[in-house]
Amino acid sequence: MTTTVLKLAKVQDMQLKDKAVLMRVDYNVPIKEGVIKDDTRMRETLRTLKLLLDNNCKVVLMAHMGRPKGKVDPKYTLAPVAPALEKLAGVKVHFAPDCVGPEAEKVVKAAKNGEIVLLENLRYHPEEEKNDEAFAKQLAAHGEFFVQEAFGAVHRAHASTSAVTKFLPGAIGLLVQKELEYLDKAMSNPARPFVAIIGGAKVSDKLPVLYSLIEKVDTLIIGGGMAYTFLAAQNTNIGKSLLEADKVEEAKQIILKAFKNNVELLLPADHIVVKEINPEAAKEVTQSMAIGDEWIGVDIGPRTELLFADKVKAAKTVFWNGPVGIFEMPPFSSGSVALANAMAEATRAGATTILGGGDTLSVLKTAKVPGERMSHCSTGGGASLEFVEGKALPGLVALSK
Ligand code: AMP
């Protein structure tokens, strides 16, 4: 069953007064030397937290941080998140130094209704990623009701997203509802023209989403490193640009499918090229979509920028995942920045603009375009791609049972 047709209970429809609520959140925020660099994911959960706290619930939060591979590793502690959350939520936040076991139980027990407990990184235990039932049962013992509010984790079948639902009744939180609403509307009933921009480095990661989008969109824009495999599929010279040689055939199939479906497929028409990937390298603009033998394409060129931006500005629905250049290096960020600005203009003109993926969100920062200027910035890059692919998201399937 795809996620769009699942019947899911909603947190606001539940009787949760005075209950202990176990909530899965995605607080996998960037932290440097103990300081949270971007708290968007935390702020996005505040509406559901407020709803629960207004109902005098005790809220026990489960989250993961990075990839500690099933072992305790202080590098991946959630400890700095607790005081930051206390400031944001305006209530006491207790931090439990483990997510299960006597220490966690003690902290949960000591917390009062109207307060929050943040459990330490779930992924310190290998059982989390194994969707282990005994571990999920221990987690479930912290509450009487489960709320799924971690959109960034619902595409994984883990103990805190899947097995836990066997032991507690559950519902989706307000953030997950918002994510599903925007993505579902775009995929099932988009205002047209519907334009999708898919960028980034790896064709192989994005093939399923391209196959899915080609059935839905009016215009498919392919940019970034992956565009070169598509250009190679059309026998265009790409010099030393990124190429996934074993994906050229599939790129040809996508081009053919676009033609059959009457989908406009746009590839970069010119490029910023360098001889080595280095922000100091001398850069040139190509005359056409072909690239000389010694050169590497690192961003879309100025003509392509205008072409892509015009398409975005004329659209009524836009979905964007993946930068169209090596935007982390300022000299090669121009194309991605231009697209971020075009998206903001499209929003202002009444289009629904949806953006997903960590890199794409970082492009907004580089472009100094606030997230509020998009209709929706998805907090889950992987989950939003899998939704668009038409896959059922395991964390939601489990909750629907
Ligand atoms: P992905 O994780 O597949 O979405 O790829 C994101 C990465 O793609 C970013 O780190 C970009 O630097 C990279 N990228 C974008 N354009 C290019 C390009 N022309 N060549 C190589 N890498 C690129």
Side-chain angles (χ1 to χ4, degrees), residues 199-202 205-206 224-225 228 242 297-298 322-328 359:
K202 282 191 94 182
D205 286 355
K206 306 273 167 74
Y228 300 106
L242 202 64
V298 286
V324 294
I326 307 180
F327 78 101
E328 299 93 334
D359 280 322

Side-chain angles (χ1 to χ4, degrees), residues 208-397:
V209 81
L210 291 174
Y211 277 119
S212 171
L213 286 168
I214 218 131
E215 303 293 342
K216 314 262 183 187
V217 299
D218 301 292
T219 303
L220 179 60
I221 294 176
I222 299 180
M226 58 187 277
Y228 300 106
T229 300
F230 283 81
L231 289 171
Q234 295 185 321
N235 295 321
T236 303
N237 203 350
I238 59 161
K240 291 184 176 161
S241 309
L242 202 64
L243 170 70
E244 277 177 77
D246 60 335
K247 293 290 175 281
V248 170
E249 268 317 303
E250 270 199 274
K252 278 187 191 162
Q253 292 307 316
I254 286 173
I255 294 168
L256 204 66
K257 193 116 201 267
F259 181 72
K260 278 194 191 145
N261 289 5
N262 218 0
V263 167
E264 181 181 38
L265 191 147
L266 298 179
L267 293 170
D270 62 347
H271 315 268
I272 303 295
V273 292
V274 291
K275 285 199 169 155
E276 56 176 320
I277 300 179
N278 170 341
E280 266 87 57
K283 56 179 188 176
E284 286 199 7
V285 179
T286 61
Q287 292 292 316
S288 69
M289 54 169 62
I291 296 176
D293 288 343
E294 297 300 309
W295 298 87
I296 308 164
V298 286
D299 194 7
I300 55 174
R303 282 193 302 124
T304 308
E305 246 180 48
L306 289 176
L307 175 75
F308 287 4
D310 281 349
K311 285 287 166 194
V312 168
K313 284 188 251 173
K316 287 278 178 290
T317 306
V318 192
F319 175 78
W320 181 18
N321 186 300
V324 294
I326 307 180
F327 78 101
E328 299 93 334
M329 298 183 187
F332 316 138
S333 66
S334 172
S336 302
V337 166
L339 279 179
N341 283 303
M343 290 273 285
E345 264 194 58
T347 320
R348 203 163 47 229
T352 300
T353 50
I354 305 168
L355 192 140
D359 280 322
T360 325
L361 293 172
S362 308
V363 168
L364 288 191
K365 285 228 144 108
T366 307
K368 299 196 172 63
V369 172
E372 295 77 51
R373 292 182 65 193
M374 305 293 142
S375 310
H376 181 60
C377 292
S378 179
T379 51
S384 66
L385 279 182
E386 290 198 16
F387 184 95
V388 171
E389 285 166 24
K391 280 195 193 154
L393 303 170
L396 300 181
V397 174

Side-chain angles (χ1 to χ4, degrees), residues 38-159:
D38 183 352
D39 64 359
T40 310
R41 286 178 164 171
M42 294 163 66
R43 279 188 284 109
E44 292 275 9
T45 63
L46 288 176
R47 279 195 313 141
T48 302
L49 279 176
K50 182 171 184 317
L51 179 98
L52 296 172
L53 296 168
D54 286 351
N55 272 291
N56 197 38
C57 295
K58 180 193 289 190
V59 187
V60 182
L61 299 176
M62 311 183 273
H64 75 275
M65 171 71 67
R67 295 176 191 272
K69 304 207 171 95
K71 287 196 202 86
V72 175
D73 181 343
K75 210 165 94 195
Y76 299 109
T77 178
L78 277 160
V81 173
L85 182 64
E86 191 163 286
K87 268 198 203 138
L88 284 175
V91 299
K92 173 87 190 148
V93 177
H94 306 257
F95 182 68
D98 199 351
C99 61
V100 290
E103 290 239 51
E105 282 158 25
K106 204 168 87 192
V107 177
V108 172
K109 202 165 166 215
K112 298 192 193 74
N113 283 32
E115 295 181 346
I116 297 173
V117 176
L118 174 65
L119 302 173
E120 179 58 290
N121 197 345
L122 292 158
R123 292 191 184 169
Y124 280 179
H125 295 262
E127 295 90 345
E128 160 66 357
E129 290 178 78
K130 289 185 185 143
N131 200 14
D132 182 88
E133 283 203 10
F135 178 69
K137 197 172 175 186
Q138 280 182 279
L139 291 170
H142 295 314
E144 301 158 88
F145 191 86
F146 170 68
V147 174
Q148 177 53 273
E149 189 65 326
F151 187 69
V154 290
H155 61 311
R156 312 253 185 243
H158 290 171

